[in-house]
Amino acid sequence: MGSVDAEVAVGLSARVTDALRSFLAARRDELVAIGTELAPIGEQLTSFLLEGGKRLRPAFAYWGWRGAGGTDSDDAVYAVAALELVQASALIHDDLMDGSDTRRGQPSIHRRFERLHRESGWQGPPAAFGSAAAILLGDLCLTWADQMLFGSGLPTDALGRAKPVYDTMRTELMSGQYLDVLGQVRDHHSVAWSLRVARQKSARYTIERPLHLGGALAGASTGLLASYSGYGLPLGEAFQLRDDILGVFGDPLVTGKPAGDDLREGKRTVLIALTLERASTAQARVVLERLGDAGLDDAGVAVMREIIAETGALVETERMIAARAAEAVRAIEGAEVVGEARGALRDLAEAATSRTV
Amino acid sequence: MGSVDAEVAVGLSARVTDALRSFLAARRDELVAIGTELAPIGEQLTSFLLEGGKRLRPAFAYWGWRGAGGTDSDDAVYAVAALELVQASALIHDDLMDGSDTRRGQPSIHRRFERLHRESGWQGPPAAFGSAAAILLGDLCLTWADQMLFGSGLPTDALGRAKPVYDTMRTELMSGQYLDVLGQVRDHHSVAWSLRVARQKSARYTIERPLHLGGALAGASTGLLASYSGYGLPLGEAFQLRDDILGVFGDPLVTGKPAGDDLREGKRTVLIALTLERASTAQARVVLERLGDAGLDDAGVAVMREIIAETGALVETERMIAARAAEAVRAIEGAEVVGEARGALRDLAEAATSRTV
């Protein structure tokens, strides 16, 4: 069984992509049946969902399912693949809110439709059309997500158990996004605030709730769900802390985003909060001046990187990641998970925190 | 039983509001438990949903349910009330896309959060914060809608029958919205195009699908669902045509929107398409110049109204409304609906097409 499960782990991402491909092909046909003018919606969403994405949330949900005794099946993969549609909705709307030009190395959705407008020679401002399209495409992904999950073919009682988790997850996602936006407009630069947003936005939404969703589908015990939290929450914080570092120090060739994009967007990350907490007055002034400057160039990014490293904030963030990853692994060692799930979740903890993209 | 049902019809709107109040109170508590900073989300959505709205979609869904033999229950009212949350999501996002300042006589959601930003003295542009909040609140309403519908307490098999209808309805809604936006940027002023958008955006979403949703919940036959379409599609077109007229000729004190707002937004309605089809070259030039002019004043609106009336487009639109309303009533007379639903649907046809708001 070991070798079968190893193959499952390796092939899971491809199977999630296949499930999405099949689901999206059916939606594309529906759209074109309504009107051929809708073809670009199907095309752009297919490209957005199939040409990128780490499939991390489906992986956690899948192993949450397996760890609670669920057996491998295409229906289960189809169900957890729906989380990629929730994430696509969040990314499309997030890129619009942040005014981000790119995502996964490609133009963001509002930019793609801005270009469609321009190339078609339509009337009015292209940016307004791009924004409207991005709002509607994000909405569509959000509704398609539950269409995919609840149309997965898993038994009704399993889906019924998962529904409250799914509802909670989505409310927490929108809440985390709102707190994130709020952090950028309010004078909240504390480490505590940034950690709270990270917990809300990433720890719960990216890891804990996908695990719970998979667990609930398989009828997990309360004890196992608690173990999933014990693993998911610290790991989710570590995941977000890694994201913070990549947002400043990540290689644009690998991340698909311009270097230091988080700085230009003025994100109030734990990394920045730690930097400001430890910075000299002169250093803090430089950071606050440049944070959120949309025109920040490579030299400006380099100066910021230097300060973040010099204050020790970078090392401290790495230390926090390591401590949380270790806590997560300890929690899963002690959990009553079934079969190969323990090893898979250990591997996922490693993958989520040491990633370069 | 007749008098009981008459009371049901009269009290339905209040019961829908009560169901929303109870659902939203629980969501507000959840939000505040996540963070007290989220309180404005719950407050503004509660005010948006409880202080207005014609409850038309829940009414059609309710009578679709009753007409298919469903018995009156609070669970059924709770289920159909969820359609108000779908509609709230659409309105919040629509107002943002259109840049509308008001809705139901109150500030639109993005304007409310713009004001919160301004009054709180937060950093950055208030409009960007308002937009981000409106995107997230619309997303939240969309997810809450299915939480309410599928948490209504109706039997699982009933909800399972309704799910495909619900999925189709939402895809059609987003598609219709996209076609509407497309109509504003493309050179499509034909009556055929505008009617197509009206059918997609209003006829299906506002009337046919709510009827189907209620019908599916109650296990309606294919024949009855077809009758609901025979009633819902012409009535939905009539509803949208009435909306077009109110958007130009409506009393702002009654509609809660500034007079002639549709003209300022440049909406490509059937009324406008008919006007342009029948206008002299000089009249057409005036209409095309002023359509979509955000600064159009009352005198400008008056000139447009005159041309719309002079060309006969207003009379023709009224004729189209009457013909469609009659077709709808004929369809419901011949349908196999149960009990008082026939009379209620006849009354709803009247209410939806002769309304002043």
Side-chain angles (χ1 to χ4, degrees):
Chain A
M1 190 175 161
S3 73
V4 172
D5 270 25
E7 280 169 37
V8 167
V10 170
L12 182 58
S13 177
R15 290 171 73 198
V16 165
T17 300
D18 285 345
L20 287 166
R21 182 178 294 114
S22 136
F23 177 82
L24 289 168
R27 300 290 80 69
R28 253 194 343 262
D29 290 347
E30 281 173 3
L31 287 177
V32 173
I34 293 173
T36 51
E37 301 89 347
L38 302 173
I41 298 180
E43 284 159 21
Q44 293 306 328
L45 288 182
T46 302
S47 137
F48 191 79
L49 274 145
L50 300 187
E51 291 164 17
K54 295 181 285 289
R55 314 301 189 212
L56 213 55
R57 290 161 193 86
F60 284 114
Y62 176 84
W63 288 109
W65 157 265
R66 292 292 304 275
T71 52
D72 177 61
S73 75
D74 287 343
D75 287 354
V77 172
Y78 198 89
V80 300
L83 293 176
E84 287 292 300
L85 282 161
V86 177
Q87 176 64 0
S89 171
L91 294 178
I92 291 168
H93 282 175
D94 203 43
D95 286 342
L96 177 62
M97 294 188 284
D98 289 344
S100 301
D101 296 330
T102 59
R103 171 66 66 177
R104 298 171 176 168
Q106 300 287 332
S108 48
I109 289 289
H110 61 280
R111 292 284 181 238
R112 298 187 195 193
F113 280 82
E114 203 176 308
R115 189 166 68 189
L116 175 66
H117 182 288
R118 204 172 279 119
E119 289 173 354
S120 306
W122 291 332
Q123 308 167 14
F129 180 77
S131 297
I135 290 173
L136 294 171
L137 267 67
D139 291 349
L140 206 48
C141 285
L142 198 54
T143 72
W144 284 356
D146 67 72
Q147 183 169 354
M148 188 170 191
L149 171 56
F150 294 96
S152 61
L154 288 182
T156 308
D157 58 336
L159 295 170
R161 285 191 304 264
K163 186 67 168 68
V165 178
Y166 186 66
D167 289 338
T168 300
M169 183 191 79
R170 294 182 301 172
T171 293
E172 285 174 350
L173 166 62
M174 316 298 171
S175 301
Q177 295 276 74
Y178 182 84
L179 290 177
D180 202 18
V181 172
L182 205 58
Q184 287 172 54
V185 301
R186 287 169 63 167
D187 248 338
H188 272 297
H189 305 155
S190 76
V191 174
W193 167 269
S194 299
L195 265 177
R196 205 181 129 210
V197 174
R199 172 164 285 230
Q200 195 57 42
K201 202 181 145 179
S202 296
R204 294 200 186 281
Y205 163 65
T206 302
I207 305 189
E208 186 198 28
R209 296 307 178 193
L211 282 165
H212 283 180
L213 187 81
L217 283 169
S221 68
T222 317
L224 181 53
L225 294 177
S227 294
Y228 283 166
S229 296
Y231 163 87
L233 289 176
L235 182 58
E237 288 185 24
F239 174 85
Q240 182 58 50
L241 292 170
R242 173 62 59 212
D243 221 48
D244 294 355
I245 292 179
L246 289 171
V248 176
F249 294 91
D251 180 347
L253 286 177
V254 182
T255 62
K257 295 205 112 190
D261 227 25
D262 277 8
L263 300 173
R264 267 177 226 102
E265 288 174 15
K267 284 205 184 152
R268 300 301 183 179
T269 63
V270 173
L271 182 67
I272 294 297
L274 280 171
T275 303
L276 289 169
E277 215 175 66
R278 292 152 174 251
S280 68
T281 315
Q283 285 174 322
R285 194 168 43 234
V286 173
V287 170
L288 288 174
E289 263 174 24
R290 300 183 177 217
L291 200 63
D293 172 6
L296 195 71
D297 60 9
D298 283 353
V301 171
V303 170
M304 295 280 271
R305 284 179 177 171
E306 221 174 277
I307 295 175
I308 293 167
E310 272 176 15
T311 55
L314 180 58
V315 170
E316 173 61 13
T317 304
E318 288 287 1
R319 194 199 58 74
M320 289 170 76
I321 293 173
R324 280 161 177 75
E327 189 188 339
V329 169
R330 272 196 308 278
I332 212 63
E333 298 301 350
E336 290 176 11
V337 286
V338 173
E340 305 290 310
R342 197 186 316 274
L345 290 171
R346 213 190 290 116
D347 291 350
L348 276 172
E350 169 68 17
T353 51
S354 66
R355 68 206 161 87
T356 55
V357 58
Chain B
M1 192 175 159
S3 73
V4 171
D5 269 25
E7 279 170 37
V8 167
V10 171
L12 182 58
S13 176
R15 291 170 73 197
V16 166
T17 300
D18 286 345
L20 287 167
R21 182 178 293 114
S22 138
F23 176 81
L24 289 169
R27 300 291 81 69
R28 248 188 354 257
D29 290 348
E30 280 173 6
L31 288 177
V32 173
I34 293 173
T36 51
E37 300 89 347
L38 301 173
I41 297 180
E43 285 159 21
Q44 293 306 330
L45 288 181
T46 302
S47 138
F48 191 78
L49 275 145
L50 299 187
E51 291 164 17
K54 295 181 283 293
R55 313 304 188 209
L56 214 55
R57 291 163 193 85
F60 284 112
Y62 176 83
W63 288 109
W65 157 264
R66 292 292 304 276
T71 51
D72 177 62
S73 75
D74 287 344
D75 287 353
V77 172
Y78 198 88
V80 300
L83 293 177
E84 287 291 300
L85 283 161
V86 177
Q87 176 64 0
S89 171
L91 293 178
I92 290 168
H93 282 175
D94 203 42
D95 286 342
L96 177 62
M97 295 188 285
D98 289 342
S100 301
D101 296 331
T102 58
R103 171 66 65 177
R104 297 170 178 171
Q106 300 287 332
S108 48
I109 289 290
H110 61 280
R111 292 284 181 238
R112 297 187 195 193
F113 280 81
E114 204 176 309
R115 188 166 69 189
L116 175 66
H117 182 287
R118 204 173 279 119
E119 288 174 354
S120 306
W122 291 333
Q123 309 167 14
F129 181 77
S131 297
I135 290 173
L136 294 171
L137 268 66
D139 290 349
L140 207 48
C141 285
L142 198 54
T143 71
W144 284 355
D146 68 70
Q147 184 169 353
M148 187 169 192
L149 171 56
F150 294 96
S152 60
L154 288 183
T156 308
D157 57 337
L159 295 169
R161 284 191 304 264
K163 185 68 169 64
V165 178
Y166 186 66
D167 289 338
T168 300
M169 183 192 78
R170 293 180 302 170
T171 292
E172 286 175 349
L173 165 62
M174 315 301 170
S175 301
Q177 296 275 77
Y178 182 84
L179 290 177
D180 201 17
V181 172
L182 206 57
Q184 286 172 55
V185 301
R186 285 169 66 167
D187 249 337
H188 270 297
H189 305 154
S190 75
V191 174
W193 167 269
S194 299
L195 265 177
R196 203 179 131 209
V197 174
R199 172 164 285 231
Q200 194 58 42
K201 202 180 147 181
S202 296
R204 294 200 185 281
Y205 163 64
T206 303
I207 305 189
E208 185 197 28
R209 296 308 178 193
L211 283 165
H212 283 180
L213 187 81
L217 283 169
S221 68
T222 316
L224 180 53
L225 294 177
S227 294
Y228 283 168
S229 296
Y231 164 87
L233 289 176
L235 182 58
E237 287 186 24
F239 174 85
Q240 182 58 50
L241 293 170
R242 173 61 61 213
D243 221 50
D244 294 355
I245 293 179
L246 289 171
V248 175
F249 294 91
D251 181 346
L253 286 177
V254 183
T255 62
K257 295 206 112 190
D261 227 25
D262 278 7
L263 299 174
R264 266 177 226 101
E265 288 174 15
K267 283 203 186 155
R268 300 298 183 180
T269 62
V270 174
L271 181 68
I272 293 297
L274 280 171
T275 303
L276 288 169
E277 217 175 63
R278 291 152 174 253
S280 68
T281 315
Q283 285 174 322
R285 196 169 42 234
V286 173
V287 170
L288 287 173
E289 261 174 28
R290 300 183 178 215
L291 199 65
D293 172 6
L296 195 70
D297 60 9
D298 283 353
V301 170
V303 170
M304 296 280 271
R305 284 179 178 172
E306 223 174 276
I307 295 176
I308 292 167
E310 272 177 15
T311 55
L314 180 58
V315 170
E316 172 62 12
T317 304
E318 288 287 1
R319 195 200 57 74
M320 290 170 75
I321 293 172
R324 281 161 177 76
E327 188 187 340
V329 169
R330 273 197 306 277
I332 211 64
E333 299 301 350
E336 290 176 11
V337 286
V338 173
E340 305 290 309
R342 197 185 316 273
L345 290 172
R346 213 189 291 117
D347 292 350
L348 276 171
E350 168 68 17
T353 51
S354 66
R355 68 204 162 87
T356 55
V357 59

